Amino acid sequence: MSLLSYLSPTRFLEGYLRRCLTAAGLTLQTVSIDSETTIHFWGPLPLDHRTDNRPVMLLLHGFGPSSMWQWRRQIQAFSPSFRLYCPDLVFFGDSATSSTNRSEVFQAECMEKLMEKIGIEKFNVVGTSYGGFVAYHMAKMCPEKVEKVLIASSGINMRKCDSESLLQRSNCECIEKVMLPSTATELRTLMGLASSSRIVRMFPNALWNDVITNLYQNNRKEKVELLKGVTLGRDEKLNIDPLSQEVLIIWGDKDQIFPVKMAYELKEILGDKTKLEIIENTSHVPQIECAQEFNNIVLKFLKGSQ
């Protein structure tokens, strides 16, 4: 029997991530935003924001593990300059709801309620992939609250044909096989699409199975419903509008989930206040693969007018 049967590398790394976020000044908190929904998030102590004049940044994770797995390098880099709030979207981590709504618009409504509940009136929003869907809807619904918008690797301009192309690239028959892997082979396929590194594809099956057990098993039924509940990309007609805020789009030139051509189209759609930054030799998770370059781009954008 292998050592992985006795010691989970994923759980070990989770403990390290928790210590990193705590060292950055964040605490793990839970808030009931209404009678149906509870949100789990990392943020400063509730009393801190009354005397803290730093601008606020809301970090919205993609479809996959909970927020701390996707934003660790950003939290460490941004915490000196920003008050950071890093929630788990509904049905990720310990966030949950009894509502039957599964759309990304509902996720945006929940995040807006969270910020209102904790007393944040204005904030910048940063969303990657699925989190970018949520960030877009927040900016559209609450232009008086959302100041600047950063969308990373997020095909909010996707059409039905884009989803079909992704299935072809992944050699899968349905989107949940791509985004919610249940076997080592499926997870290796997802990592091959999401990362430009060949090293991760060489990890042994035992490690991939440990990741699946700890990060992909919880709330699988509800997450499948979330994938099916996305309102964007249901047909060949785009249903997004320009945003009134300053917007920055960041994309990896090797992205195989949402090909980089979508980034150029999205820039034209979102309006004259939109800028685009392409990170070379990077795939779908530039905040992890090229964290320092990603962080520098974000800080320059958000702090440029201060």
Side-chain angles (χ1 to χ4, degrees):
M1 191 173 291
S2 70
L3 180 61
L4 290 175
S5 301
Y6 298 99
L7 178 64
S8 166
T10 307
R11 289 188 179 276
F12 180 82
L13 183 55
E14 183 179 274
Y16 167 73
L17 294 174
R18 288 177 181 270
R19 291 192 294 274
C20 288
L21 270 59
T22 300
L26 305 189
T27 61
L28 194 55
Q29 302 169 53
T30 302
V31 169
S32 295
I33 60 170
D34 55 33
S35 61
E36 296 181 313
T37 307
T38 300
I39 301 296
H40 191 76
F41 70 98
W42 288 88
L45 290 170
L47 297 179
D48 286 355
H49 73 270
R50 297 180 183 178
T51 56
D52 192 338
N53 294 320
R54 291 176 298 171
V56 175
M57 185 190 301
L58 175 66
L59 294 165
L60 301 177
H61 64 82
F63 212 96
S66 63
S67 59
M68 68 176 176
W69 288 89
Q70 302 190 39
W71 292 121
R72 190 263 301 177
R73 296 282 295 274
Q74 286 64 53
I75 289 170
Q76 291 175 310
F78 300 159
S79 58
S81 304
F82 291 86
R83 270 187 290 153
L84 301 177
Y85 292 88
C86 191
D88 292 334
L89 296 172
V90 177
F91 292 123
F92 295 87
D94 290 330
S95 295
T97 187
S98 59
S99 169
T100 58
N101 195 327
R102 299 290 185 264
S103 73
E104 80 282 10
V105 179
F106 174 71
Q107 296 274 19
E109 292 169 348
C110 289
M111 294 302 104
E112 191 277 328
K113 287 181 181 179
L114 170 66
M115 300 306 277
E116 182 177 1
K117 193 79 172 181
I118 58 183
I120 304 299
E121 296 179 355
K122 291 184 179 293
F123 52 92
N124 304 290
V125 62
V126 180
T128 182
S129 196
Y130 180 73
F133 297 0
V134 181
Y136 165 78
H137 286 295
M138 291 189 75
K140 188 176 177 181
M141 291 188 304
C142 311
E144 74 287 355
K145 295 182 179 181
V146 177
E147 296 182 308
K148 291 186 177 183
V149 183
L150 195 148
I151 294 172
S153 313
S154 184
I156 62 177
N157 54 324
M158 68 178 180
R159 301 170 174 86
K160 185 177 181 180
C161 62
D162 295 309
S163 297
E164 294 170 347
S165 295
L166 173 57
L167 293 180
Q168 292 177 355
R169 288 193 297 274
S170 61
N171 196 29
C172 291
E173 66 274 12
C174 57
I175 193 64
E176 53 262 36
K177 287 283 188 180
V178 182
M179 304 308 297
L180 282 173
S182 59
T183 68
T185 298
E186 290 174 357
L187 183 52
R188 189 177 284 107
T189 297
L190 174 60
M191 290 299 102
L193 292 169
S195 173
S196 60
S197 172
R198 295 183 178 181
I199 297 176
V200 297
R201 306 174 206 181
M202 299 169 63
F203 291 161
N205 284 351
L207 180 57
W208 291 131
N209 287 329
D210 183 68
V211 171
I212 290 170
T213 298
N214 288 283
L215 301 182
Y216 284 92
Q217 294 285 29
N218 289 343
N219 298 326
R220 284 189 66 88
K221 173 180 174 292
E222 290 82 3
K223 288 177 181 175
V224 170
E225 293 169 354
L226 290 176
L227 287 171
K228 294 179 179 179
V230 172
T231 65
L232 301 172
R234 288 186 172 179
D235 51 41
E236 299 302 329
K237 182 180 179 181
L238 289 177
N239 57 345
I240 60 171
D241 300 306
L243 294 176
S244 60
Q245 298 93 337
E246 288 184 61
V247 180
L248 175 64
I249 301 168
I250 302 180
W251 223 278
D253 67 338
K254 307 296 185 189
D255 195 333
Q256 295 186 72
I257 303 291
F258 297 123
V260 69
K261 66 179 182 179
M262 298 181 71
Y264 292 99
E265 181 189 52
L266 183 59
K267 178 182 183 297
E268 299 305 313
I269 294 171
L270 292 185
D272 296 337
K273 295 182 179 180
T274 303
K275 299 178 181 178
L276 172 63
E277 292 277 358
I278 303 296
I279 300 180
E280 295 183 354
N281 301 314
T282 305
S283 189
H284 190 62
V285 286
Q287 77 275 17
I288 297 174
E289 289 189 275
C290 293
Q292 185 171 348
E293 184 174 355
F294 181 93
N295 294 346
N296 290 340
I297 292 170
V298 172
L299 288 174
K300 182 180 179 181
F301 173 66
L302 293 181
K303 298 175 72 174
S305 62
Q306 293 179 19

